[in-house]
Amino acid sequence: RWGRHWLDLARYADTAGENSDYPIPQAHLYRDYVIDAFNADKPYDEFIRQQIAGDIIAERGPPEEYAEQVIATGFIAQAKRFGTGDLEDMHLIIEDTLDTMGKVVLGLGFRCARCHDHKYDPTTTEDYYGLYGFFQSTAYPYPGGESVREQRYFVSTIHPSILAEADSDYFAKHKADIDRLNQLIKVNKDVDTSKAELAEIESQSPSRLAPVAYAVKEGKATDAHVQHGGNPHRKGEVVKRRLPQFLRADSQPEIPGEGSGRLQLAQWLTESTNPLTARVMINRIWQFHFGKPIVPTPSNFGLQGAPPTHPKLLDWLAKEFIESGWSVKAMHRLIMSSETYQLSACLLYT
């Protein structure tokens, strides 16, 4: 049941959301990941890191955890699609990613800053495109659509080292056939038939037959241009990939030139010193228990949102959340303890 709350926030669907709302048969893997994570009381900081950068973490971890962490990036892959083409209007897909991540994890909307400095919160256009670069450097999946019906860019759920070894064994076993067919092509004999047979051999390789997830992976690392007025055809200056200055002005993490930077973003989101992540989640937990959150606008902790009715209570709960090891179940027990429950009754109804 608690997984359902998160799936609503993550805009989970079994279809892609573009014009044809194309079905995504693998979407359920992310749904199951979320349910399993809440049932197992996966630490919330780890839960967030996996959803933002699970594919990067997975490559560095044990092969048996690879599939779960790749599947977790379905949070990003679930971004709303537009149009009918292959990843059409990519700037809108990234906008949806940033706006969802901002509201769900930080309680902040970034969408306004795509076109101009935010009129109320201290988010600048440069802050927006600094974050934009993380996801511009990310390869999103394409589920198919009206113009292109096949799936593209899905991510294998088997560790690359295992696939590489399996492919090596497979092609070694078919080496004689491959050499024979290449020789026929070289001497211009039965070319079409030989190419078709080669393609058939390749299509049966372990990497081609590996199960896949609707997930993301690292793309070509690149910094983003400011888009004047939010128009991707009106490019301005380049903004280096970075965290929002008003939240992390003291020190910016070093973003690797060959990587997207999503790992550094995920680590910052889940730092114990981050002023928002724990507070936003604990406010949602309180809301789902009592129907009335401490901050009445749970996805907007900005200046346009409502201030907390009991800020000291919010701070105390956030501190307890972090010190519990980011345990959601520990917070359920704390909130439903007789003392806290009586306190909530006083706060809600007096």
Side-chain angles (χ1 to χ4, degrees):
R1 292 177 181 175
W2 283 87
R4 175 74 269 170
H5 295 312
W6 185 264
L7 290 168
D8 287 343
L9 294 169
R11 66 330 192 190
Y12 172 79
D14 292 317
T15 53
E18 37 38 339
N19 290 1
S20 56
D21 204 22
Y22 214 67
I24 309 168
Q26 297 85 350
H28 74 92
L29 296 172
Y30 174 70
R31 180 198 66 203
D32 295 346
Y33 162 83
V34 170
I35 294 168
D36 290 344
F38 279 104
N39 283 341
D41 197 24
K42 183 186 290 289
Y44 182 69
D45 59 338
E46 182 181 352
F47 181 62
I48 293 297
R49 284 194 297 272
Q50 289 182 349
Q51 290 179 88
I52 302 299
D55 57 307
I56 305 169
I57 298 169
E59 293 236 358
R60 305 175 183 187
E64 60 268 20
E65 296 177 8
Y66 185 82
E68 177 191 38
Q69 298 188 77
V70 165
I71 289 166
T73 64
F75 177 80
I76 298 172
Q78 284 279 330
K80 190 179 186 305
R81 268 46 180 183
F82 298 85
T84 59
D86 186 343
L87 296 177
E88 190 174 342
D89 292 330
M90 195 66 212
H91 63 293
L92 297 180
I93 293 174
I94 296 176
E95 179 196 89
D96 183 76
T97 303
L98 287 175
D99 199 55
T100 301
M101 181 194 73
K103 289 177 178 176
V104 172
V105 182
L106 297 171
L108 293 175
F110 291 121
R111 180 166 284 161
C112 290
R114 178 183 145 214
C115 301
H116 51 73
D117 291 350
H118 201 295
K119 295 186 181 299
Y120 301 100
D121 294 335
T123 310
T124 65
T125 301
E126 287 73 22
D127 283 333
Y128 180 88
Y129 287 100
L131 290 169
Y132 188 102
F134 294 134
F135 298 99
Q136 181 175 274
S137 305
T138 299
Y140 284 68
Y142 176 69
E146 293 174 356
S147 57
V148 181
R149 295 196 175 274
E150 72 267 17
Q151 297 175 346
R152 292 180 174 179
Y153 326 122
F154 280 45
V155 185
S156 167
T157 57
I158 298 178
H159 197 281
S161 63
I162 296 175
L163 280 181
E165 184 177 350
D167 272 355
S168 179
D169 292 342
Y170 173 82
F171 286 113
K173 189 182 297 183
H174 290 81
K175 184 177 185 306
D177 286 334
I178 293 171
D179 290 346
R180 176 179 57 81
L181 293 168
N182 281 326
Q183 182 61 30
L184 289 173
I185 294 170
K186 185 177 180 179
V187 299
N188 203 29
K189 184 178 181 182
D190 297 329
V191 174
D192 291 341
T193 302
S194 298
K195 286 183 176 180
E197 289 185 32
L198 278 174
E200 176 63 20
I201 291 172
E202 187 174 342
S203 71
Q204 298 302 307
S205 65
S207 56
R208 287 291 189 91
L209 297 178
V212 295
Y214 193 63
V216 302
K217 59 184 177 182
E218 291 284 73
K220 182 181 178 182
T222 176
D223 295 320
H225 287 267
V226 168
Q227 299 170 8
H228 291 305
N231 186 339
H233 302 296
R234 295 180 58 206
K235 292 183 177 179
E237 64 276 18
V238 173
V239 179
K240 288 189 176 298
R241 283 162 285 154
R242 61 170 173 79
L243 305 174
Q245 291 281 47
F246 74 99
L247 287 172
R248 187 63 184 269
D250 54 340
S251 62
Q252 288 282 339
E254 184 177 348
I255 307 300
E258 71 285 357
S260 68
R262 282 185 290 116
L263 180 59
Q264 288 70 32
L265 171 62
Q267 290 169 339
W268 168 71
L269 287 171
T270 54
E271 287 176 353
S272 60
T273 55
N274 189 304
L276 291 170
T277 302
R279 287 174 173 83
V280 169
M281 185 55 178
I282 204 68
N283 187 59
R284 296 192 193 280
I285 294 172
W286 185 278
Q287 174 190 12
F288 295 143
H289 270 289
F290 302 115
K292 185 176 181 180
I294 301 168
V295 176
T297 51
S299 292
N300 188 355
F301 276 46
L303 294 176
Q304 288 295 94
T309 56
H310 300 81
K312 290 184 179 180
L313 172 62
L314 181 67
D315 288 349
W316 174 69
L317 287 169
K319 180 174 178 289
E320 292 292 314
F321 188 27
I322 294 170
E323 291 182 353
S324 74
W326 299 82
S327 168
V328 172
K329 288 190 176 182
M331 292 303 99
H332 293 329
R333 290 190 291 269
L334 176 64
I335 289 173
M336 295 306 291
S337 66
S338 57
E339 296 86 355
T340 313
Y341 199 79
Q342 290 170 21
L343 170 64
S344 70
C346 295
L347 297 178
L348 290 169
Y349 303 114
T350 60

